[in-house]
Amino acid sequence: MPDDRENDSLGSWIRRRRKALDLTQAVLADQVGCAEVTIRKLEADVARPSRQVAERLATCLALPPDERALFLQVARGERSPDRLPRTLARSDSGAHAAEVPIAPVPLDRVPLPAPLPPASRMPLRRNPLFVGRSADLYQLARALTVSETAAIGQLEIAAATGLGGIGKTQLACEFVHRYGPFFPGGVFWLSFADPAAVPAEVAACGGMDGMQLSPNFGTLPLDEQVQRVLTAWKEPILRLLVFDNCEDEALLHQWQPRHGGCRVLLTSRRHHWDPTFGVQTVPLDVLPRAESIALLCQLCPNLRADDADLQAIAETLGDLPLALYLAGSFLGKYRHVLTPAQYLQRLHTPTILDDRSLQAAGLSPTLHVQHVARTFEQSYAQLDPAAPIDAVALRLLAHAACFAPAEPIPRALLLETLTLPEDDVEGTLLAEDALTRLIDLGLLDSDAAGNLRLHRLVVAFIRAVLAHDTAQAAVEATLLRVTETLNEQRNHRRLLTVQPHLRFVTEAALPRADARTADLCTALGGSLWLQAVLPEAQSYLEQALAICERLFGPDHPKTARCLNVLSAVLYEQGQHRAAQRYQEYVLTIRQRVLGPEHGDTAGSLHNLGLTLSAQGQYAEAQGYLEQAVATQQRAFGAEHPNTPRFLNSLGEVLRMQGRYAEAQGYLEQAVAIQQRAFGAEHPDTARYLNSLGEVLLERGQYAEAQGYLEQAVAICERVLRADHPSTAVYLNALGRLCQTQGQYAEAQGYLEQAVAIQQRAFGAEHPSTALSLTHLGLALSAQGLYAEAQGYLEQALAICERVFGPDHPDTARCLSALGEVLRKQGRYAAAQGYLEQAVAICERVFGPDHPDTALILTHLGSVLEAQGQDGAARHSYEQALAINQSIRGPDHPDTHTIRSKLARLAHEDDET
């Protein structure tokens, strides 16, 4: 062991290097038993260190190998301290400060809290209730490049930005107590809330509670104190300066060091900074819900984290840290007399900010006022109605408060509420300046895509201080105008961004039950219909219809418009007869009021034709659809966005009748016009490609059909969603194609997906579900899974008979598929009964010459042949062959199949 003189020398060296030693405190915490180790305790431990402490200390000092060996020898008493290398004996001031090594910051974890370097000025203690924010701490650490050495002189500035009450100062405080030890020159916290007080804040950093720049520092004039601090901040040693509540670029410019080892952390509501400052902003969001609940439970320990009322309280408060802190404190104080459910009731009022729980007196751990409304008032009070930019900002703020709280508001949508003329460039620039002003005041939040968001508590504040009737009318009119356009364009992507706000304003308008309310309900119902949210769409449309009938009567165009969209919703839900009744009524109104050549009349003709087609009334449907196409083209021309929809429906009804060549012509026109108008990434493009693929499938052109069908599925999954009912329709077609080509396992996969989607979307009783079940049964039957196949086919038949009755083509298809499965099981008599029923239905619906009739006759021939009734079988095959050759041509795969069956019968007759 070293003697006392050696110990004194080592202790003296340690004291000269105390900034570096401070870095060891967190590492030594386990050794000495407490993370909050004082420097005196540390020096006492290392004056006579154990081997373990000496080695860890050498590691923390980042000594090179040769110096490390010397240090350990001295620490163990094997070498005299007088023989320490000169580099170890230097003090850490002056020109040598840049040589002080910095321990690397752990970027894989947030460091534990540790004492700050002794020269630091930090008036705020660490808040023991701090929760979460790890990602924000990491981002600040990276922005401030704390892993760099102090010799790098470039100034780094990071800014924690956001709404008042979001926890900017609290985050900075936590950052200081966790990362501060990695700044050997010290951490210096300065309040910039009062610009006039900043010089005194700077001067305080050089006094006894800071760097202790000189014994008489406190007696010097303020200007000299400030100058000495600024001079010290130019040294290369790494320091952290925290400018709390720095909102003014001029203040930052005035007080930031021009060079040296300082890093600057700002807390500010201001998001936009002049690029020349190089500020890296870290925008803060509200707390994740789990962290909100954790904070409430820390403040009121008797609360249960799984309590649904806590979730609702956090939701109502928008997960805003200040509001959560106040609410949790209130619940904790009154925990014996107030339950979370009772407190939640207090919050469910438009004047939520008036609740005294959100207006606590006193200061928070960050010395900020604990009053939510007053926090917002600090920003709002800076808006001057007489200033042009602020005047527009106030309008936009009132408008934003009418949108759905906390939901992203598309920037263009909010600006559109100003109804600026298209050529008003200056007005547009002024509006953009106003948005920037609101963002920099922390009242509006903006994401990377430019979408805006208003916190729900800010909404409550704005609606309390600003008149909003005019704003509400402007927002409703804008949402109506935009939604009606998007509905007409069937623009699903943009509708998804508008829909939450349309729903919010519609719900708010329902008690009025006026004409605007009816328009909002109709627009919302139409958008929900396009998104396949059908029960909700029906509910809103029925409310719109009731208002229109009361205000305008049953024959008004607005009433007809409601009925028209409602009929489309009923159609999608498989309620075809109800849809038909509405459509016939709407068509009558429009022909009388608008005339036979109006575009809306063409729309009604189209919708009625579509509904009749779904019920198997193809000839009648074709007549309406041909009228619709002709009226549409006369009214708007061939390139109108609605024209391809009418052409596609006409092509579909021709396909259903086996008129494939005519159908293909209309469908190719529909695809071409649609792609010119809307491009490939549109849901209607997918629909028309699927229709074209299906007609090519019927014509035996499988490779081309597969290309179109796969495109349809891909577009639908990208533009809509993977579980949208339209996706199921296209998967069903793709499964049918695979089945036709003998790819039964692949077919089964597609069809099972389709059934699952349709059952989730429509339930078990929908015609589309029945169709997919039919094809799934056939795919299973082809793999020999007869029992499973029969179960699915019986389900499909039951649905079709309930929904359509006994004389529908889909009922006939189910009977045919069930008969084929029974044939494969050798149950010929039962199979024959089903197939004969199916043939009779097809002949009644289609007449004697339809591809479906040919297919069923082929199956019937196989059953008759299996029972030894060769003459009857030959008659069925010959009928099927004649139909197929007439409609599909001599080279279709089905034609070849029937011809081979006849050839086999003929060969058997010859042998006999």
Side-chain angles (χ1 to χ4, degrees):
M1 292 295 290
D3 60 23
D4 292 340
R5 181 179 59 80
E6 290 171 341
N7 288 339
D8 289 343
S9 298
L10 182 58
S12 175
W13 175 82
I14 289 172
R15 282 189 290 275
R16 288 196 303 272
R17 296 296 295 271
R18 64 192 299 154
K19 289 186 176 64
L21 289 174
D22 279 343
L23 298 177
T24 69
Q25 294 186 50
V27 179
L28 293 171
D30 293 339
Q31 177 73 23
V32 300
C34 177
E36 301 291 334
V37 188
T38 64
I39 192 68
R40 187 174 294 117
K41 172 65 175 172
L42 178 63
E43 289 174 352
D45 283 345
V46 298
R48 294 181 183 274
S50 68
R51 178 185 181 89
Q52 183 182 12
V53 170
E55 288 179 348
R56 294 171 74 180
L57 181 57
T59 300
C60 290
L61 293 174
L63 298 177
D66 56 342
E67 295 182 3
R68 176 189 178 92
L70 290 172
F71 176 80
L72 292 175
Q73 289 174 3
V74 172
R76 293 192 298 265
E78 300 168 1
R79 193 181 189 96
S80 170
D82 295 336
R83 298 181 60 188
L84 283 171
R86 297 171 69 102
T87 54
L88 284 178
R90 290 174 180 153
S91 81
D92 51 353
S93 61
H96 302 297
E99 298 177 13
V100 176
I102 304 167
V105 173
L107 295 179
D108 60 337
R109 59 184 174 82
V110 176
L112 292 172
L116 302 177
S120 301
R121 177 182 184 260
M122 179 58 186
L124 303 180
R125 66 177 179 85
R126 180 175 176 266
N127 182 1
L129 299 179
F130 185 88
V131 296
R133 297 290 197 197
S134 295
D136 297 316
L137 290 168
Y138 285 139
Q139 197 170 348
L140 286 177
R142 286 191 293 270
L144 292 170
T145 61
V146 293
S147 61
E148 300 287 342
T149 64
I152 294 179
Q154 179 182 354
L155 182 68
E156 301 289 348
I157 305 176
T161 65
L163 169 71
I166 202 77
K168 302 178 292 296
T169 298
Q170 188 62 73
L171 176 69
C173 180
E174 186 72 9
F175 183 87
V176 164
H177 286 288
R178 289 181 179 273
Y179 289 90
F182 297 93
F183 294 84
V187 178
F188 304 92
W189 186 283
L190 301 92
S191 173
F192 272 50
D194 180 4
V198 173
E201 291 280 308
V202 173
C205 297
M208 293 302 294
D209 293 332
M211 291 181 285
Q212 303 180 25
L213 293 177
S214 66
N216 64 337
F217 185 83
T219 65
L220 298 174
L222 180 62
D223 288 349
E224 188 171 343
Q225 292 180 30
V226 169
Q227 192 55 49
R228 288 198 181 193
V229 171
L230 295 179
T231 300
W233 283 350
K234 294 176 184 176
E235 294 172 357
I237 191 168
L238 193 66
R239 292 184 171 99
L240 176 62
L241 311 182
V242 182
F243 294 173
D244 187 32
N245 287 328
C246 181
E247 309 293 345
D248 191 344
E249 287 183 336
L251 274 180
L252 177 59
H253 176 74
Q254 180 180 356
W255 295 108
Q256 65 170 349
R258 298 295 184 267
H259 55 81
C262 287
R263 304 292 189 261
V264 179
L265 171 58
L266 311 176
T267 70
S268 179
R269 302 181 190 214
R270 185 188 193 97
H271 182 78
H272 301 93
W273 296 87
D274 190 303
T276 59
F277 286 107
V279 175
Q280 299 184 60
T281 59
V282 179
L284 302 191
D285 202 350
V286 296
L287 290 177
R289 181 57 49 79
E291 292 174 8
S292 297
I293 300 301
L295 178 57
L296 289 171
C297 289
Q298 286 190 64
L299 290 159
C300 185
N302 66 311
L303 297 177
R304 288 180 20 252
D306 61 351
D307 189 336
D309 290 323
L310 282 195
Q311 296 278 345
I313 289 170
E315 173 72 20
T316 303
L317 298 175
D319 298 292
L320 185 72
L322 174 59
L324 292 166
Y325 177 81
L326 294 173
S329 300
F330 191 80
L331 283 167
K333 181 178 181 180
Y334 296 106
R335 62 186 178 278
H336 300 300
V337 295
L338 185 69
T339 67
Q342 290 170 328
Y343 180 63
L344 185 60
Q345 286 184 331
R346 293 172 63 102
L347 297 180
H348 283 165
T349 169
T351 57
I352 179 175
L353 296 181
D354 291 339
D355 192 274
R356 68 187 182 94
S357 67
L358 303 181
Q359 299 178 347
L363 297 176
S364 69
T366 56
L367 305 183
H368 290 185
V369 174
Q370 298 185 85
H371 192 298
V372 175
R374 206 166 292 161
T375 298
F376 303 150
E377 171 65 25
Q378 291 174 2
S379 294
Y380 178 77
Q382 297 181 53
L383 293 169
D384 179 5
I389 290 177
D390 286 5
V392 177
L394 286 166
R395 282 184 66 197
L396 286 170
L397 196 57
H399 291 181
C402 296
F403 285 83
E407 289 288 340
I409 307 172
R411 199 183 199 93
L413 183 63
L414 180 58
L415 291 174
E416 194 164 336
T417 63
L418 298 176
T419 60
L420 298 173
E422 288 186 12
D423 57 351
D424 187 0
V425 177
E426 288 304 315
T428 301
L429 296 177
L430 184 65
E432 186 62 29
D433 288 340
L435 284 180
T436 301
R437 176 88 165 117
L438 293 173
I439 293 166
D440 285 343
L441 286 173
L443 293 170
L444 265 183
D445 186 28
S446 176
D447 63 19
N451 295 317
L452 305 164
R453 196 190 306 264
L454 199 61
H455 192 275
R456 62 177 64 252
L457 295 181
V458 177
V459 170
F461 173 81
I462 296 304
R463 291 179 77 88
V465 299
L466 282 176
H468 56 271
D469 288 348
T470 302
Q472 189 75 35
V475 169
E476 288 179 359
T478 299
L479 285 170
L480 263 178
R481 185 170 61 252
V482 169
T483 303
E484 286 171 353
T485 300
L486 296 177
N487 282 349
E488 186 175 342
Q489 295 172 349
R490 305 168 84 82
N491 190 329
H492 291 247
R493 282 179 176 169
R494 282 200 62 199
L495 277 172
L496 286 174
T497 66
V498 173
Q499 203 170 81
H501 303 293
L502 179 63
R503 187 194 298 270
F504 179 77
V505 301
T506 302
E507 287 291 334
L510 283 174
R512 299 197 317 251
D514 57 8
R516 174 68 61 78
T517 305
D519 290 340
L520 289 167
C521 286
T522 303
L524 178 56
S527 71
L528 291 168
W529 163 59
L530 290 173
Q531 300 294 335
V533 187
L534 301 176
E536 281 189 75
Q538 183 174 341
S539 173
Y540 283 111
L541 290 164
E542 286 172 345
Q543 291 179 77
L545 180 61
I547 295 170
C548 286
E549 288 179 333
R550 178 173 56 82
L551 294 179
F552 308 116
D555 294 341
H556 194 274
K558 283 197 173 188
T559 306
R561 182 162 154 256
C562 290
L563 283 167
N564 188 58
V565 186
L566 182 56
S567 71
V569 172
L570 294 172
Y571 170 86
E572 291 292 344
Q573 294 180 92
Q575 300 177 41
H576 297 145
R577 291 188 181 88
Q580 181 182 341
R581 288 194 298 273
Y582 281 138
Q583 287 160 358
E584 288 171 342
Y585 183 62
V586 172
L587 178 60
T588 302
I589 295 173
R590 286 179 168 174
Q591 285 177 328
R592 185 175 68 250
V593 176
L594 303 176
E597 296 298 311
H598 195 275
D600 287 352
T601 304
S604 289
L605 288 166
H606 167 266
N607 293 343
L608 184 53
L610 206 60
T611 303
L612 291 168
S613 173
Q615 296 175 82
Q617 301 173 41
Y618 298 125
E620 194 175 352
Q622 181 182 336
Y624 281 112
L625 290 169
E626 285 172 343
Q627 286 184 66
V629 168
T631 305
Q632 171 71 15
Q633 290 182 333
R634 284 195 300 271
F636 300 113
E639 297 293 318
H640 189 271
N642 280 339
T643 301
R645 185 152 49 99
F646 294 6
L647 290 168
N648 183 79
S649 297
L650 180 55
E652 279 282 286
V653 81
L654 290 168
R655 177 178 73 84
M656 291 293 187
Q657 296 176 87
R659 297 163 62 177
Y660 301 127
E662 294 175 74
Q664 184 174 342
Y666 284 117
L667 295 171
E668 286 172 342
Q669 285 184 62
V671 169
I673 298 169
Q674 173 70 16
Q675 289 183 329
R676 284 195 296 272
F678 296 108
E681 295 298 299
H682 191 279
D684 283 354
T685 305
R687 180 182 173 191
Y688 306 153
L689 286 169
N690 182 78
S691 296
L692 184 53
E694 289 205 80
V695 83
L696 291 169
L697 165 61
E698 298 290 358
R699 302 192 78 179
Q701 300 174 33
Y702 300 140
E704 292 178 67
Q706 183 169 346
Y708 287 124
L709 296 176
E710 287 175 345
Q711 281 185 68
V713 171
I715 293 169
C716 195
E717 288 179 341
R718 286 194 302 268
V719 176
L720 298 174
R721 59 182 190 270
D723 64 343
H724 192 279
S726 294
T727 307
V729 171
Y730 310 152
L731 287 169
N732 185 71
L734 201 50
R736 202 158 59 88
L737 172 67
C738 290
Q739 183 178 324
T740 302
Q741 297 179 91
Q743 301 166 4
Y744 302 120
E746 292 89 338
Q748 180 181 342
Y750 287 127
L751 292 165
E752 285 174 342
Q753 286 184 65
V755 169
I757 293 169
Q758 286 163 333
Q759 287 181 333
R760 283 196 302 271
F762 302 127
E765 294 295 306
H766 195 275
S768 295
T769 306
L771 185 62
S772 295
L773 286 169
T774 301
H775 293 304
L776 177 57
L778 288 171
L780 292 167
S781 171
Q783 298 173 78
L785 302 170
Y786 301 128
E788 290 179 63
Q790 184 175 337
Y792 284 123
L793 292 169
E794 287 171 346
Q795 283 184 59
L797 178 60
I799 294 169
C800 286
E801 287 180 334
R802 282 195 296 270
V803 174
F804 295 125
D807 284 333
H808 190 276
D810 283 358
T811 305
R813 292 178 187 114
C814 290
L815 288 166
S816 172
L818 192 53
E820 180 66 2
V821 170
L822 292 171
R823 178 189 69 80
K824 290 180 178 179
Q825 297 177 77
R827 297 168 62 185
Y828 300 125
Q832 183 175 342
Y834 282 126
L835 291 167
E836 286 172 345
Q837 285 184 64
V839 169
I841 293 170
C842 282
E843 288 179 342
R844 285 197 299 273
V845 174
F846 297 124
D849 297 327
H850 190 274
D852 282 5
T853 307
L855 178 64
I856 299 168
L857 285 167
T858 304
H859 293 331
L860 180 58
S862 297
V863 169
L864 294 169
E865 183 181 352
Q867 296 177 89
Q869 302 177 39
D870 291 355
R874 183 181 298 105
H875 179 67
S876 286
Y877 289 148
E878 287 171 346
Q879 285 182 277
L881 180 62
I883 296 169
N884 250 34
Q885 286 188 144
S886 171
I887 295 174
R888 288 174 161 162
D891 297 324
H892 191 277
D894 285 0
T895 306
H896 286 299
T897 298
I898 300 168
R899 202 179 286 128
S900 67
K901 288 178 179 289
L902 280 168
R904 186 181 64 249
L905 272 180
H907 179 69
E908 290 172 356
D909 288 346
D910 290 343
E911 287 183 346
T912 301

